[in-house]
Structures are given as structure tokens and as C-alpha cells.
Amino acid sequence: MSERQRANHEYRAASDADGVPGLARVALPIGFNSIESVNMYIVDDGDKVTVIDCGVWKPDAPDGGVSIVQAGLRSAGYDLADVSRLVITHAHIDHYGLAGRVMELTGADLSMHAMTDLDCQKYRHPETSMSQRRDTYADHGIAEDDEGEGGEHLARWMPFLHSVVEASTRLRGDESLRIGGDDWTVIHTPGHSLGHVCLWSPRRRVLMSGDHLLPGITPPVTFERGFDADPMLSYLRSLQLVRNLGPELVYPGHGRPFGDAVGRIDAIIRNKMRRMERIRRAIQEKPTTVGELTDRLVVGSMLGHQRQLAINETLAHIACLRYARLIERRIRPDGVYEWFSTSDEPLDVARLLGT
């Protein structure tokens, strides 16, 4: 540890007195699609430092936003050159966009789940991904609005991605990462993203949750062709997995750290199940398309990107109901999928999870 690091160590410990000594949170500005900031975590790791998530490439900034990351590191007593490992909780661009540049400047190891390969493929071929999204919308009778929301969401994010880089250390879950004398277990938590991971310290009972758990909003779960066939069920299972751990403190991907993880998980599950029940009741009332469900259940005054998230989560709920054998689809004469009820069995989490 350098003299500058030693001089700042006492400050770091004091600032984290209510949390984890040697761990600092820096809120990096995003300012796009209603996302104000993303948290970068800086963890003492001997003579070096491990960084969890790194924010976006800033196309309008002279250095692409590297100086913002540098300032955050210096506030914790480190420099960019001290970064030896970068862990990305999931490869959404607000968490991953600057990763390629950080690797170029530092030579750091990049640790991500192996399933982030699918995200990398999407970023390497965005036109294909956007075409697939438009095809999905057409199949379900979802009309693109005047701004072309159906397939262009990704196009608006791409300028915030410096480069596409695959993991140098491919995680699969259950690995133990030794960081600064502490063991952090990699927990694979698909749902919000198929390649999402959390880091769990059993000794400290602390969870670094990425976007799996957030304090102020319910994390969106979206359906994408070629990824998870039932992302909502994956998310509910992941929530139950983390609930069983009983974290006492959560460091989220957005917002401030919080306690009572079990209470927060229960609230998220209630939110997801209420929405799923609304969708199921609408289908029980009469066979319908996702486009028609969107008109009935998604608020028309939403901003375009918010409306798309709601539509994509509706597709995730539909997939969950289908694999639970509660609904099924048929093709109408116009080629659009129409969903109809196949069972009156009650809908609850225990039934979905098979518990």
C-alpha cells in the first residue's frame, strides 16, 4: 500500500463505519433514460484494488469519462493504475460501458459470468438484435410508437459503450473470490439479466447486489429471444436463493446501501406477483394479444423507454404463465399470437417455484 493509500485508509474506514471497512461506494453519473447514476464499488485488495462495476463511456467527454472514475478512485485513496481486477455484476451498458477502456489503461482482469457472452454478441451485432426485437413485437401485435421504440432502445445505448470485451475470468456461480483478505462467494442470480451475479460475504453477511436488489424500484425483468426462456421464474428463484442467505446489508447497483434484505425481497416478489395476476385475469376474461394487454395495462403517458420496459416485462410474465401451464397461445389469422387461459388453478409463488 502506498503512502497516499495509508494516509487515506483511516478516512475510508471512518466513512464506512456503518458498513464494510475498506469498501467505498462512488456514484458515477449516467444522466440517460432516467438513470441518474450507477454505483462503482472500490474494495481494498492488498497493494491493489478490486472495482465492481464501472459505469458508461461518455462520448461527449474528452476522455470518455475516465477522469470521473479516476476521481472516484482517488477519493478512496487509490489511482487508476492500482486497479488489478474489475468485476461486472451484469453486462448492461450502465454497468459495463467503460470496462473496455479501463482494461486498456490498467491491464486489469475482467470477471463476468459466462452468460454475458450473449450480451457481448448483441453488442457486436446490434442491428441483428434490434431486428429480432422488432420481430418479437410484430409477432405479439405490439405497434412501434412514433419514435420507433420497438427496436431502437439498444441503438440509443450503444454510444455509451466504449468497446465489446469478453470476460478474462469467466464466472459460473459458487466461486470464491479472495478480495482484501475476505472471501466473497459468486452467486449467479439470473432474472434482470441472464449473466447477473451478486457477491456475498458470509462472514460479514453483506451482499453486493448489482441490479438484483434495488432500494427504490422493482428491478425490471425483460424477455429477449435467444436468452432465458423464462426470465421471470429465474428471477423469482434467484430472489429466493438470496432470501435464504439472509443478508444484513445490501450494496446495490443504484441508490444507497440498505438493510432488511428479506423485507425488500418480499416486497419485490409481491410486486411481481400482483402484476402477473393482473395479466392472468385479463387473459381469463377473454383471449388477448400482448399488444392488447399493453393498451389495457401499460400507462400510455409513460416515456418511451419506460413503456418499452413495461412491454418487455409483460412478455416475461406471459412466458412465466405459459411455462406454469396456466395459459397457452394460438396464431390468429393475421399471424399474431393470441393468449388464452388453460387452467383456473391459483397463482402463487410456491406453485411457480415448486415448493
Side-chain angles (χ1 to χ4, degrees):
M1 183 180 290
S2 69
E3 289 299 317
R4 174 170 43 77
Q5 291 162 3
R6 290 192 184 94
N8 281 278
H9 182 78
E10 189 171 326
Y11 166 79
R12 290 197 306 280
S15 68
D16 291 326
D18 295 328
V20 177
L23 189 156
R25 178 180 68 93
V26 177
L28 302 174
I30 302 293
F32 182 71
N33 266 18
S34 301
I35 301 174
E36 294 183 5
S37 63
V38 66
N39 289 330
M40 175 179 72
Y41 291 100
I42 303 165
V43 190
D44 288 344
D45 197 5
D47 292 333
K48 293 291 185 178
V49 66
T50 289
V51 168
I52 293 95
D53 292 340
C54 60
V56 300
W57 172 255
K58 295 277 191 178
D60 297 330
D63 64 353
V66 172
S67 59
I68 300 173
V69 171
Q70 176 76 294
L73 286 162
R74 286 176 175 168
S75 73
Y78 285 97
D79 195 84
L80 196 62
D82 297 319
V83 178
S84 62
R85 174 167 44 189
L86 176 61
V87 180
I88 298 295
T89 60
H90 60 297
H92 289 174
I93 291 175
D94 54 329
H95 296 255
Y96 162 80
L98 199 60
R101 184 59 176 150
V102 171
M103 291 179 69
E104 286 179 355
L105 294 172
T106 65
D109 175 86
L110 176 62
S111 296
M112 299 193 299
H113 194 274
M115 296 305 294
T116 58
D117 286 354
L118 293 172
D119 298 283
C120 292
Q121 181 180 0
K122 177 172 68 175
Y123 300 147
R124 291 190 188 280
H125 305 284
E127 291 296 334
T128 299
S129 177
M130 289 186 289
S131 294
Q132 290 173 339
R133 173 66 67 189
R134 286 189 288 268
D135 289 345
T136 298
Y137 277 22
D139 288 345
H140 289 277
I142 303 167
E144 294 186 22
D145 63 23
D146 293 338
E147 296 178 313
E149 283 294 330
E152 309 311 318
H153 180 77
L154 177 60
R156 292 197 306 278
W157 271 106
M158 287 301 294
F160 297 91
L161 175 66
H162 172 268
S163 54
V164 182
V165 285
E166 282 82 6
S168 43
T169 296
R170 295 165 60 82
L171 305 173
R172 298 187 181 276
D174 295 330
E175 297 92 345
S176 182
L177 302 183
R178 188 76 173 171
I179 307 176
D182 205 1
D183 291 318
W184 294 82
T185 302
V186 177
I187 310 294
H188 183 211
T189 50
H192 175 71
S193 171
L194 182 55
H196 195 292
V197 297
C198 297
L199 297 184
W200 163 242
S201 171
R203 183 173 71 87
R204 300 180 186 272
R205 306 206 65 76
V206 167
L207 183 78
M208 304 193 70
S209 71
D211 283 2
H212 184 60
L213 294 180
L214 297 173
I217 64 169
T218 300
V221 176
T222 62
F223 178 87
E224 288 188 79
R225 281 184 179 172
F227 282 65
D228 193 339
D230 192 350
M232 188 60 67
L233 181 59
S234 295
Y235 186 55
L236 294 172
R237 284 175 172 164
S238 298
L239 287 172
Q240 190 63 47
L241 175 64
V242 172
R243 190 184 193 282
N244 292 340
L245 297 175
E248 295 176 1
L249 182 62
V250 177
Y251 284 89
H254 305 272
R256 300 182 64 83
F258 61 95
D260 190 17
V262 169
R264 183 69 189 125
I265 289 169
D266 289 345
I268 291 172
I269 290 174
R270 286 194 300 271
N271 180 287
K272 298 299 187 188
M273 294 305 295
R274 279 196 300 266
R275 170 110 179 131
M276 195 180 303
E277 183 60 43
R278 286 181 65 202
I279 292 169
R280 186 194 184 190
R281 283 200 304 267
I283 295 172
Q284 285 176 321
E285 289 172 6
K286 66 173 184 177
T288 187
T289 69
V290 174
E292 292 164 348
L293 282 170
T294 297
D295 292 337
R296 293 175 61 184
L297 304 179
V298 177
V299 178
S301 61
M302 282 182 174
L303 295 175
H305 65 275
Q306 294 171 331
R307 182 176 173 82
Q308 189 186 17
L309 285 174
I311 292 169
N312 293 341
E313 179 146 320
T314 298
L315 289 167
H317 282 297
I318 289 285
C320 192
L321 289 167
R322 185 190 191 196
Y323 284 106
R325 301 177 184 272
L326 297 174
I327 64 171
E328 193 43 81
R329 73 187 186 189
R330 58 194 173 211
I331 301 177
R332 297 192 320 192
D334 61 1
V336 172
Y337 291 134
E338 181 178 72
W339 295 92
F340 60 95
S341 177
T342 59
S343 173
D344 293 325
E345 291 186 38
L347 174 64
D348 57 59
V349 175
R351 184 187 189 283
L352 292 176
L353 299 181
T355 58

Coordinates of all heavy atoms in Angstrom, one line a residue, residues 26-94:
V26 N -18.9 4.8 -4.9 CA -18.8 6.0 -5.7 C -20.0 6.0 -6.7 O -20.1 5.1 -7.5 CB -17.5 6.2 -6.5 CG1 -17.5 7.4 -7.3 CG2 -16.3 6.2 -5.5
A27 N -20.9 7.0 -6.6 CA -22.0 7.1 -7.6 C -21.5 7.8 -8.8 O -21.2 9.0 -8.8 CB -23.1 7.9 -6.9
L28 N -21.4 7.1 -9.9 CA -21.0 7.6 -11.2 C -22.1 8.2 -12.0 O -23.2 7.5 -12.1 CB -20.3 6.5 -12.0 CG -19.0 5.9 -11.4 CD1 -18.6 4.7 -12.3 CD2 -17.9 6.9 -11.2
P29 N -22.1 9.4 -12.5 CA -23.2 9.9 -13.2 C -23.5 9.2 -14.5 O -22.6 8.8 -15.3 CB -22.8 11.4 -13.4 CG -21.3 11.4 -13.4 CD -20.9 10.3 -12.5
I30 N -24.8 9.0 -14.8 CA -25.3 8.5 -16.1 C -26.1 9.5 -16.8 O -25.7 9.9 -17.9 CB -26.1 7.2 -15.9 CG1 -25.3 6.1 -15.1 CG2 -26.6 6.6 -17.2 CD1 -24.2 5.5 -15.8
G31 N -27.2 10.0 -16.3 CA -28.0 11.0 -16.9 C -28.6 10.7 -18.2 O -28.7 11.5 -19.1
F32 N -29.1 9.4 -18.3 CA -29.7 9.0 -19.5 C -30.8 8.0 -19.2 O -30.7 7.1 -18.3 CB -28.6 8.3 -20.4 CG -29.1 7.8 -21.8 CD1 -29.5 8.7 -22.8 CD2 -29.2 6.5 -22.1 CE1 -29.9 8.3 -24.0 CE2 -29.7 6.0 -23.3 CZ -30.1 7.0 -24.3
N33 N -31.9 8.0 -20.0 CA -33.0 7.1 -19.8 C -33.5 7.0 -18.3 O -33.8 5.9 -17.8 CB -32.6 5.7 -20.3 CG -33.1 5.4 -21.7 OD1 -33.4 6.4 -22.4 ND2 -33.1 4.2 -22.1
S34 N -33.5 8.2 -17.7 CA -34.0 8.3 -16.3 C -33.1 7.6 -15.3 O -33.5 7.4 -14.1 CB -35.4 7.7 -16.1 OG -36.3 8.4 -17.0
I35 N -31.9 7.2 -15.7 CA -30.9 6.6 -14.7 C -29.9 7.8 -14.4 O -29.1 8.2 -15.2 CB -30.1 5.5 -15.4 CG1 -31.1 4.4 -15.8 CG2 -29.1 4.9 -14.4 CD1 -30.5 3.2 -16.5
E36 N -30.0 8.2 -13.1 CA -29.2 9.3 -12.7 C -27.7 8.9 -12.5 O -26.8 9.6 -12.8 CB -29.7 9.9 -11.4 CG -31.1 10.6 -11.5 CD -31.5 11.2 -10.2 OE1 -30.7 11.2 -9.3 OE2 -32.7 11.7 -10.2
S37 N -27.5 7.7 -11.9 CA -26.1 7.3 -11.6 C -26.1 5.8 -11.4 O -27.1 5.1 -11.3 CB -25.7 7.9 -10.3 OG -26.5 7.5 -9.2
V38 N -24.9 5.2 -11.4 CA -24.7 3.8 -11.1 C -23.5 3.8 -10.1 O -22.6 4.6 -10.1 CB -24.3 3.1 -12.4 CG1 -22.9 3.5 -13.0 CG2 -24.3 1.5 -12.2
N39 N -23.6 2.8 -9.2 CA -22.6 2.7 -8.2 C -21.4 1.9 -8.6 O -21.5 0.8 -9.2 CB -23.2 2.0 -6.9 CG -24.2 2.9 -6.2 OD1 -24.1 4.1 -6.2 ND2 -25.2 2.3 -5.6
M40 N -20.2 2.5 -8.4 CA -18.9 1.8 -8.6 C -18.4 1.5 -7.1 O -18.4 2.4 -6.3 CB -17.9 2.6 -9.3 CG -16.5 2.0 -9.4 SD -15.3 3.0 -10.3 CE -15.1 4.4 -9.2
Y41 N -18.1 0.3 -6.9 CA -17.5 -0.1 -5.6 C -16.0 -0.4 -5.7 O -15.6 -1.0 -6.6 CB -18.3 -1.3 -5.0 CG -19.7 -1.0 -4.7 CD1 -20.8 -1.4 -5.5 CD2 -20.0 -0.3 -3.5 CE1 -22.1 -1.0 -5.2 CE2 -21.3 0.0 -3.2 CZ -22.3 -0.4 -4.0 OH -23.6 0.0 -3.7
I42 N -15.3 0.2 -4.7 CA -13.9 0.1 -4.6 C -13.5 -0.7 -3.4 O -13.9 -0.3 -2.3 CB -13.3 1.5 -4.6 CG1 -13.7 2.3 -5.8 CG2 -11.7 1.4 -4.5 CD1 -13.5 3.8 -5.7
V43 N -12.9 -1.8 -3.5 CA -12.6 -2.7 -2.4 C -11.1 -2.9 -2.3 O -10.4 -3.3 -3.2 CB -13.2 -4.1 -2.6 CG1 -13.1 -4.9 -1.3 CG2 -14.7 -4.0 -3.0
D44 N -10.6 -2.6 -1.1 CA -9.1 -2.8 -0.8 C -8.8 -4.2 -1.1 O -9.5 -5.2 -0.7 CB -8.9 -2.5 0.7 CG -8.9 -1.0 1.1 OD1 -8.9 -0.2 0.2 OD2 -9.0 -0.7 2.3
D45 N -7.7 -4.4 -1.8 CA -7.2 -5.7 -2.2 C -5.7 -5.8 -2.1 O -5.0 -6.0 -3.1 CB -7.7 -6.0 -3.6 CG -7.7 -7.5 -3.9 OD1 -7.4 -8.3 -3.0 OD2 -8.0 -7.9 -5.1
G46 N -5.2 -5.7 -0.8 CA -3.8 -5.7 -0.6 C -3.1 -4.4 -1.2 O -3.5 -3.3 -0.8
D47 N -2.1 -4.6 -2.0 CA -1.5 -3.4 -2.6 C -2.3 -2.9 -3.8 O -1.9 -1.9 -4.4 CB -0.1 -3.8 -3.1 CG 0.9 -4.0 -1.9 OD1 0.6 -3.5 -0.8 OD2 1.8 -4.8 -2.1
K48 N -3.3 -3.6 -4.2 CA -4.1 -3.2 -5.4 C -5.5 -2.9 -4.9 O -5.9 -2.9 -3.7 CB -4.0 -4.3 -6.4 CG -2.6 -4.5 -7.0 CD -2.3 -3.3 -7.9 CE -1.0 -3.5 -8.6 NZ -0.6 -2.3 -9.5
V49 N -6.4 -2.9 -5.9 CA -7.8 -2.6 -5.6 C -8.7 -3.4 -6.6 O -8.3 -3.6 -7.8 CB -8.1 -1.1 -5.7 CG1 -8.0 -0.6 -7.1 CG2 -9.5 -0.8 -5.1
T50 N -9.8 -3.9 -6.1 CA -10.8 -4.5 -7.0 C -12.0 -3.5 -7.1 O -12.4 -2.9 -6.1 CB -11.3 -5.8 -6.4 OG1 -10.3 -6.8 -6.5 CG2 -12.5 -6.4 -7.1
V51 N -12.4 -3.4 -8.4 CA -13.5 -2.5 -8.7 C -14.7 -3.3 -9.1 O -14.6 -4.2 -10.0 CB -13.1 -1.4 -9.7 CG1 -14.4 -0.7 -10.3 CG2 -12.1 -0.4 -9.2
I52 N -15.9 -3.0 -8.6 CA -17.1 -3.7 -9.0 C -18.0 -2.7 -9.8 O -18.4 -1.7 -9.2 CB -17.9 -4.3 -7.8 CG1 -17.1 -5.4 -7.2 CG2 -19.3 -4.8 -8.3 CD1 -16.3 -5.0 -6.0
D53 N -18.2 -2.9 -11.1 CA -18.9 -2.1 -12.0 C -18.2 -0.8 -12.2 O -17.6 -0.2 -11.3 CB -20.4 -1.9 -11.6 CG -21.2 -3.2 -11.6 OD1 -20.8 -4.1 -12.4 OD2 -22.3 -3.3 -11.0
C54 N -18.4 -0.2 -13.4 CA -17.5 1.0 -13.8 C -18.3 2.0 -14.6 O -17.6 3.0 -15.0 CB -16.3 0.5 -14.5 SG -16.6 -0.4 -16.1
G55 N -19.6 1.9 -14.8 CA -20.3 3.0 -15.4 C -20.1 3.0 -16.9 O -19.7 2.0 -17.5
V56 N -20.5 4.1 -17.5 CA -20.6 4.2 -19.0 C -19.4 5.0 -19.6 O -18.8 5.8 -18.9 CB -21.9 4.9 -19.4 CG1 -23.1 4.1 -18.9 CG2 -22.0 6.3 -18.9
W57 N -19.2 4.7 -20.9 CA -18.3 5.6 -21.7 C -19.1 6.9 -22.0 O -20.3 6.8 -22.4 CB -18.0 4.9 -23.0 CG -17.3 5.7 -24.0 CD1 -17.8 6.2 -25.2 CD2 -15.9 6.1 -24.0 NE1 -16.8 6.8 -25.9 CE2 -15.6 6.8 -25.2 CE3 -14.8 5.8 -23.1 CZ2 -14.4 7.3 -25.5 CZ3 -13.6 6.4 -23.4 CH2 -13.4 7.1 -24.6
K58 N -18.5 8.0 -21.8 CA -19.1 9.3 -22.0 C -18.7 9.8 -23.4 O -17.6 10.4 -23.5 CB -18.7 10.3 -20.9 CG -19.2 9.9 -19.5 CD -20.7 10.4 -19.3 CE -21.1 10.2 -17.9 NZ -22.5 10.7 -17.7
P59 N -19.4 9.7 -24.4 CA -19.0 10.0 -25.8 C -18.7 11.5 -25.9 O -17.9 11.9 -26.8 CB -20.1 9.6 -26.7 CG -21.3 9.5 -25.8 CD -20.8 9.1 -24.5
D60 N -19.3 12.4 -25.1 CA -19.1 13.8 -25.2 C -18.0 14.4 -24.4 O -17.6 15.5 -24.5 CB -20.4 14.6 -24.9 CG -21.5 14.2 -25.8 OD1 -21.2 14.0 -27.0 OD2 -22.7 14.3 -25.4
A61 N -17.4 13.5 -23.5 CA -16.3 13.9 -22.7 C -15.0 13.7 -23.4 O -14.8 12.7 -24.1 CB -16.3 13.2 -21.3
P62 N -14.0 14.6 -23.2 CA -12.7 14.4 -23.9 C -12.0 13.1 -23.6 O -11.4 12.5 -24.5 CB -11.9 15.6 -23.3 CG -12.9 16.6 -22.9 CD -14.1 15.8 -22.4
D63 N -12.1 12.6 -22.4 CA -11.5 11.3 -22.1 C -12.5 10.2 -21.9 O -12.2 9.1 -21.4 CB -10.7 11.4 -20.8 CG -11.6 11.8 -19.6 OD1 -12.8 12.0 -19.7 OD2 -11.0 11.7 -18.4
G64 N -13.7 10.4 -22.4 CA -14.8 9.4 -22.3 C -15.3 9.1 -20.9 O -16.0 8.1 -20.7
G65 N -15.0 10.0 -19.9 CA -15.4 9.8 -18.6 C -14.5 9.1 -17.7 O -14.8 8.8 -16.5
V66 N -13.3 8.8 -18.2 CA -12.3 8.1 -17.4 C -11.9 8.9 -16.1 O -11.7 8.4 -15.0 CB -11.0 7.8 -18.2 CG1 -9.9 7.2 -17.3 CG2 -11.3 6.7 -19.3
S67 N -11.8 10.3 -16.3 CA -11.5 11.1 -15.2 C -12.5 11.0 -14.1 O -12.1 11.3 -12.9 CB -11.3 12.6 -15.7 OG -12.6 13.0 -16.2
I68 N -13.7 10.8 -14.4 CA -14.7 10.6 -13.3 C -14.4 9.4 -12.5 O -14.5 9.4 -11.2 CB -16.1 10.5 -13.9 CG1 -16.5 11.8 -14.7 CG2 -17.2 10.3 -12.8 CD1 -17.8 11.7 -15.5
V69 N -14.1 8.3 -13.1 CA -13.7 7.1 -12.4 C -12.4 7.3 -11.6 O -12.2 6.9 -10.5 CB -13.5 5.9 -13.4 CG1 -12.8 4.7 -12.8 CG2 -14.8 5.5 -14.0
Q70 N -11.4 8.0 -12.3 CA -10.2 8.3 -11.6 C -10.4 9.1 -10.3 O -9.8 8.8 -9.3 CB -9.3 9.1 -12.5 CG -8.0 9.6 -11.9 CD -6.9 8.5 -11.8 OE1 -7.1 7.6 -11.0 NE2 -5.8 8.6 -12.5
A71 N -11.3 10.1 -10.4 CA -11.6 10.9 -9.2 C -12.2 10.1 -8.1 O -12.0 10.3 -6.9 CB -12.6 12.1 -9.6
G72 N -13.1 9.1 -8.5 CA -13.7 8.3 -7.5 C -12.7 7.4 -6.8 O -12.7 7.2 -5.6
L73 N -11.8 6.9 -7.6 CA -10.7 6.1 -7.0 C -9.8 6.9 -6.1 O -9.5 6.4 -5.0 CB -9.8 5.5 -8.1 CG -10.5 4.3 -8.9 CD1 -9.8 4.1 -10.3 CD2 -10.4 3.0 -8.1
R74 N -9.5 8.1 -6.5 CA -8.7 8.9 -5.6 C -9.4 9.3 -4.3 O -8.7 9.5 -3.3 CB -8.2 10.2 -6.4 CG -7.2 9.9 -7.5 CD -6.8 11.1 -8.3 NE -5.7 10.7 -9.2 CZ -5.3 11.5 -10.2 NH1 -5.9 12.6 -10.5 NH2 -4.3 11.1 -11.0
S75 N -10.7 9.5 -4.4 CA -11.4 9.8 -3.2 C -11.3 8.6 -2.2 O -11.5 8.8 -1.0 CB -12.9 10.0 -3.5 OG -13.6 8.8 -3.8
A76 N -11.0 7.4 -2.7 CA -10.8 6.3 -1.8 C -9.4 6.0 -1.5 O -9.0 5.0 -0.9 CB -11.5 5.1 -2.4
G77 N -8.5 6.8 -2.0 CA -7.1 6.7 -1.8 C -6.3 5.8 -2.8 O -5.2 5.3 -2.5
Y78 N -6.9 5.7 -4.0 CA -6.3 4.9 -5.0 C -6.1 5.7 -6.3 O -6.6 6.8 -6.4 CB -7.1 3.6 -5.3 CG -6.9 2.6 -4.2 CD1 -7.9 2.5 -3.2 CD2 -5.9 1.7 -4.2 CE1 -7.7 1.5 -2.2 CE2 -5.7 0.7 -3.2 CZ -6.6 0.7 -2.2 OH -6.5 -0.3 -1.2
D79 N -5.5 5.0 -7.2 CA -5.3 5.6 -8.6 C -5.7 4.5 -9.6 O -5.8 3.3 -9.3 CB -3.8 5.9 -8.8 CG -3.6 6.8 -10.0 OD1 -3.8 8.1 -9.9 OD2 -3.3 6.3 -11.1
L80 N -6.0 5.0 -10.8 CA -6.4 4.0 -11.8 C -5.4 2.9 -12.0 O -5.8 1.7 -12.2 CB -6.6 4.8 -13.2 CG -7.4 4.0 -14.2 CD1 -8.9 3.7 -13.8 CD2 -7.5 4.9 -15.5
A81 N -4.2 3.2 -11.9 CA -3.1 2.2 -12.1 C -3.2 1.1 -11.0 O -2.5 0.0 -11.1 CB -1.7 2.9 -12.1
D82 N -3.9 1.4 -9.9 CA -3.9 0.4 -8.8 C -5.0 -0.7 -9.1 O -5.1 -1.7 -8.3 CB -4.3 1.1 -7.5 CG -3.1 2.0 -7.1 OD1 -2.0 1.7 -7.2 OD2 -3.5 3.2 -6.6
V83 N -5.8 -0.5 -10.1 CA -6.9 -1.4 -10.3 C -6.3 -2.7 -10.9 O -5.8 -2.7 -12.0 CB -8.0 -0.8 -11.3 CG1 -9.1 -1.9 -11.6 CG2 -8.6 0.4 -10.6
S84 N -6.5 -3.8 -10.3 CA -6.0 -5.1 -10.8 C -7.1 -6.1 -11.2 O -6.9 -7.0 -11.9 CB -5.1 -5.8 -9.7 OG -5.9 -6.1 -8.6
R85 N -8.3 -5.8 -10.7 CA -9.5 -6.6 -11.1 C -10.7 -5.8 -11.2 O -11.0 -4.9 -10.4 CB -9.6 -7.7 -10.0 CG -10.9 -8.6 -10.2 CD -10.8 -9.8 -9.4 NE -10.4 -9.6 -8.0 CZ -10.1 -10.5 -7.1 NH1 -10.2 -11.8 -7.4 NH2 -9.8 -10.2 -5.9
L86 N -11.5 -6.1 -12.3 CA -12.8 -5.5 -12.5 C -13.8 -6.5 -12.5 O -13.8 -7.4 -13.4 CB -12.7 -4.7 -13.8 CG -14.0 -4.0 -14.3 CD1 -14.5 -3.0 -13.3 CD2 -13.8 -3.3 -15.6
V87 N -14.8 -6.5 -11.6 CA -15.9 -7.4 -11.6 C -17.1 -6.7 -12.1 O -17.5 -5.6 -11.6 CB -16.1 -8.0 -10.2 CG1 -17.3 -9.0 -10.2 CG2 -14.9 -8.6 -9.6
I88 N -17.8 -7.2 -13.1 CA -19.0 -6.7 -13.6 C -20.2 -7.5 -13.2 O -20.2 -8.7 -13.5 CB -19.0 -6.6 -15.2 CG1 -17.8 -5.7 -15.6 CG2 -20.3 -6.1 -15.7 CD1 -17.9 -4.2 -15.2
T89 N -21.1 -6.9 -12.5 CA -22.3 -7.7 -12.0 C -23.1 -8.2 -13.1 O -23.7 -9.3 -13.0 CB -23.1 -6.9 -11.0 OG1 -23.6 -5.7 -11.6 CG2 -22.3 -6.5 -9.7
H90 N -23.3 -7.4 -14.1 CA -24.0 -7.8 -15.3 C -23.6 -6.8 -16.5 O -23.3 -5.7 -16.2 CB -25.5 -7.9 -15.1 CG -26.2 -6.6 -14.7 ND1 -25.8 -5.9 -13.6 CD2 -27.1 -5.8 -15.3 CE1 -26.6 -4.8 -13.5 NE2 -27.3 -4.8 -14.5
A91 N -23.8 -7.3 -17.7 CA -23.2 -6.6 -18.8 C -24.2 -5.6 -19.5 O -24.2 -5.4 -20.7 CB -22.7 -7.5 -19.9
H92 N -25.1 -5.0 -18.7 CA -25.9 -3.9 -19.2 C -25.0 -2.7 -19.2 O -24.1 -2.5 -18.4 CB -27.1 -3.6 -18.3 CG -28.2 -4.6 -18.3 ND1 -29.3 -4.6 -17.5 CD2 -28.3 -5.7 -19.2 CE1 -30.0 -5.6 -17.9 NE2 -29.5 -6.3 -18.8
I93 N -25.2 -1.8 -20.2 CA -24.2 -0.8 -20.6 C -24.0 0.2 -19.4 O -22.8 0.7 -19.3 CB -24.6 -0.1 -21.9 CG1 -24.4 -1.1 -23.0 CG2 -23.7 1.1 -22.1 CD1 -24.8 -0.6 -24.4
D94 N -25.0 0.5 -18.6 CA -24.8 1.4 -17.5 C -23.8 0.9 -16.5 O -23.2 1.7 -15.7 CB -26.1 1.8 -16.8 CG -26.9 0.7 -16.4 OD1 -26.8 -0.4 -17.0 OD2 -27.7 0.8 -15.4

